[in-house]
Amino acid sequence: MALSDPTCKNAKPKEKPYKLADEKGLYLLVKPNGSKYFRFKFRFAGHEKVLALGVYPEIGLKQARDKRDEARKQLDSGIDPSLTRKIEKTGSAENTFAAIAKEFMAAKPNWSESHRKHVNECFERDVFPWLGNRPLKDLSAVEVLATLRRIVDRGAIETAARTKQFIGQAIRYGIATGRAERDVTADLRGALPSPVRGHYPAITEPKPLGQLLRDIDAYKGGFVVRTALQLQPLIFARPANLAAAEWAEFDLEAAEWRIASDKMKMKDAHIVPLSTQAIALLRDIQPLTGNQQYVFASNQGQNGEKHISRESIGMAIRRMGYQGQHTAHGFRTTASTLLHEQGFHSDMIERQLAHAERNRVKAAYNRAQHLAERRKMMQSWADYLDGLKNGAQVIAFKKAG
C-alpha cells in the first residue's frame, strides 16, 4: 500500500530502524531516535543502490516522489542517479569535457569491451588533446568542428563521423547530469563530408590486385604496420579485429586464430584458419611482440598494452596512393568477389567473413560443417595471391576438393 501524509506523520520510532514502503522503490526510513528519511532503492549495472532524497518533514511525500521520478528518468537514460548526486556535490572541478566523457563511458556497463576501447581510443587520440580541458558548458560548435576537421584532413571520414557521434553522446550525458544545456554537435549537421555507407572501395581485378600486393611488400612504414598490411589480404578480417589481435588468441600449431564473441561485430565467436603464408608472417613478428599482449603492439604504449589503431592499415594504403581505390575493409570485398568467381560455396565464404546467419539452426550447421573446407579455401586463396604477387599468368585457381 502506498504511503500517505498521515502515515508518514504518525510513524512512531521503534527499538530498531524500520521501513515504510511507498511505490516504485521509494520508502520512509524511521530511526529509533524518531528521525525520518526518504530513500529510493534501485538497481544499476546489476547492483542494488540507495539514494537519499531528504529528511521528513522538511521534504514532504510529494517532493520525495518527484525526486524519485526524476531519478527513474535518469535510470531510463542509462545514468546512475547516485553518480549525478556525487557530481552535484563536487562542484565544477569535474566539469571538463574529458572528465564528463570518462563518466559517460563508465555509465555504460553493457558496452562490449571492444566498443569501449574504440570509443576511448577516439577520445584519447582525436578529442582530448584539443577539447579535454574545456568546461563542457563553454564548449562551442566551432571548437568541435575544428577538432573533427583534423580527422577529415587525414582522410578518415568514417572516423570523423563516428567521433562526432561519440562527442554528442558525451555532451548529452552532461546535459542529463546538469552540467550542460545543449548539444552543440546538433549545429554541425552537413558540416562534414558524408561517409559512403555500405560501400568500401575495393580492387577486385587480378592484375591491379597483384600490383597492390607488391606495393604492400615494398611499404616503407613501420615493420608492425607492414606486417598487418601483409596479413590482411590473407585473412580479410575486419580491420578492428586485426588491429586488436592478441597472441593468446592464436594457436600456430593448429593454424587457427580464435576470436571471442565479445570482440566480434555480430557477437558470435569466430575461427580464422591460417594459411602457411599467414603463419610465416606471424612467426616473423613473434620475436618482436610475442612477449606482449597484442600481435600488433603500438610503440605508443608500454609493454604492449596498446595496439595499432584500426585506421593504421587504411592510412598506410592511402599513403601508397590508393586513396579512393582500395581500403583495409575492401580486402573483404576483394576476397568475397574473387572467391565467389572461383566457385567456392557462398555459405563457406560468408562464414569466413563472419557475416551473421539469421537462421540459428543453419548457423550452428555452418559452424560445424565448414571449418575443414574453409581451411582448404584459405590456403588456396593465399596461394592464389602469391601467384598474383609474383606476376604469374592470371588464371582461375581451382577450388580445393
Side-chain angles (χ1 to χ4, degrees):
M1 181 182 294
L3 286 175
S4 65
D5 284 316
T7 302
C8 295
K9 182 178 180 180
N10 297 326
K12 303 299 181 183
K14 297 181 180 179
E15 185 177 349
K16 295 183 178 180
Y18 68 97
K19 303 173 184 177
L20 293 174
D22 187 52
E23 296 176 321
K24 303 174 184 177
L26 179 65
Y27 63 89
L28 183 70
L29 176 64
V30 183
K31 295 289 190 72
N33 63 2
S35 300
K36 302 172 185 178
Y37 304 88
F38 282 113
R39 299 284 189 265
F40 171 52
K41 183 170 68 174
F42 63 96
R43 295 188 70 83
F44 186 83
H47 300 286
E48 185 174 289
K49 296 190 173 186
V50 175
L51 183 67
L53 301 182
V55 182
Y56 180 85
E58 285 80 3
I59 295 294
L61 179 58
K62 183 180 183 305
Q63 290 173 289
R65 286 172 174 167
D66 289 343
K67 289 188 173 187
R68 173 204 61 195
D69 293 342
E70 181 181 346
R72 284 170 59 85
K73 288 180 181 178
Q74 291 175 334
L75 286 170
D76 289 341
S77 300
I79 298 168
D80 182 351
S82 62
L83 178 59
T84 303
R85 178 68 56 81
K86 180 181 178 182
I87 291 166
E88 291 171 351
K89 291 180 178 179
T90 58
S92 61
E94 295 300 312
N95 288 350
T96 64
F97 177 80
I100 292 168
K102 290 174 182 177
E103 289 174 12
F104 157 68
M105 290 186 284
K108 296 294 180 181
N110 294 328
W111 277 2
S112 69
E113 189 58 32
S114 60
H115 182 64
R116 187 180 305 282
K117 283 185 177 180
H118 174 47
V119 176
N120 186 64
E121 284 175 1
C122 285
F123 281 145
E124 293 283 355
R125 180 187 63 236
D126 295 324
V127 183
F128 290 167
W130 291 275
L131 303 181
N133 292 328
R134 293 284 290 139
L136 186 62
K137 63 182 180 63
D138 296 335
L139 201 61
S140 69
V142 173
E143 290 175 288
V144 175
L145 180 58
T147 297
L148 295 173
R149 279 179 172 165
R150 291 186 182 94
I151 306 173
V152 172
D153 288 346
R154 68 171 189 253
I157 297 174
E158 286 277 356
T159 299
R162 284 196 301 268
T163 303
K164 174 177 172 284
Q165 177 186 353
F166 300 152
I167 292 173
Q169 291 173 342
I171 292 174
R172 290 191 291 276
Y173 173 84
I175 294 170
T177 54
R179 292 171 290 174
E181 294 182 357
R182 62 183 303 274
D183 177 9
V184 297
T185 63
D187 298 335
L188 303 182
R189 182 173 295 178
L192 298 174
S194 298
V196 181
R197 302 293 181 186
H199 173 71
Y200 296 90
I203 292 172
T204 56
E205 294 296 324
K207 187 173 181 179
L209 177 57
Q211 184 59 54
L212 172 59
L213 296 172
R214 289 189 290 274
D215 289 342
I216 287 174
D217 282 353
Y219 178 65
K220 301 301 183 183
F223 175 69
V224 170
V225 172
R226 187 179 68 197
T227 303
L229 258 175
Q230 293 171 314
L231 190 60
Q232 177 66 345
L234 296 171
I235 61 175
F236 45 92
R238 291 186 175 92
N241 289 132
L242 184 61
E246 302 180 37
W247 280 112
E249 298 166 349
F250 286 87
D251 185 337
L252 298 186
E253 297 302 322
E256 288 181 356
W257 175 24
R258 292 179 173 262
I259 312 173
S261 59
D262 62 352
K263 278 192 168 186
M264 295 299 297
K265 179 179 179 180
M266 308 311 298
K267 306 304 178 188
D268 192 9
H270 185 50
I271 300 174
V272 179
L274 301 173
S275 63
T276 56
Q277 291 90 332
I279 292 174
L281 287 169
L282 291 166
R283 292 200 185 280
D284 198 30
I285 198 175
Q286 196 171 28
L288 178 65
T289 65
N291 62 339
Q292 303 180 44
Q293 179 180 359
Y294 296 108
V295 177
F296 304 107
S298 170
N299 57 14
Q300 296 178 358
Q302 295 179 354
N303 301 320
E305 76 273 15
K306 289 187 178 181
H307 54 74
I308 62 172
S309 165
R310 64 168 66 188
E311 294 181 35
S312 297
I313 300 173
M315 291 173 67
I317 292 172
R318 289 193 292 273
R319 290 192 189 103
M320 290 189 298
Y322 287 87
Q323 175 83 28
Q325 300 177 56
H326 196 80
T327 64
H329 200 284
F331 281 115
R332 294 168 62 76
T333 302
T334 300
S336 178
T337 301
L338 294 175
L339 287 169
H340 275 105
E341 287 182 1
Q342 302 305 325
F344 283 92
H345 197 286
S346 180
D347 283 351
M348 238 195 311
I349 299 169
E350 291 298 296
R351 184 60 193 156
Q352 191 54 52
L353 289 165
H355 287 163
E357 171 56 61
R358 293 184 179 182
N359 183 313
R360 304 305 296 176
V361 174
K362 187 177 180 182
Y365 175 82
N366 286 347
R367 282 194 293 273
Q369 296 296 319
H370 290 314
L371 185 57
E373 291 90 338
R374 284 193 286 126
R375 291 186 191 280
K376 297 176 183 178
M377 179 182 74
M378 295 298 278
Q379 186 59 56
S380 293
W381 173 246
D383 293 341
Y384 175 69
L385 293 183
D386 273 354
L388 294 183
K389 184 168 60 175
N390 294 329
Q393 182 181 2
V394 178
I395 57 173
F397 63 90
K398 293 184 178 181
K399 175 180 170 181

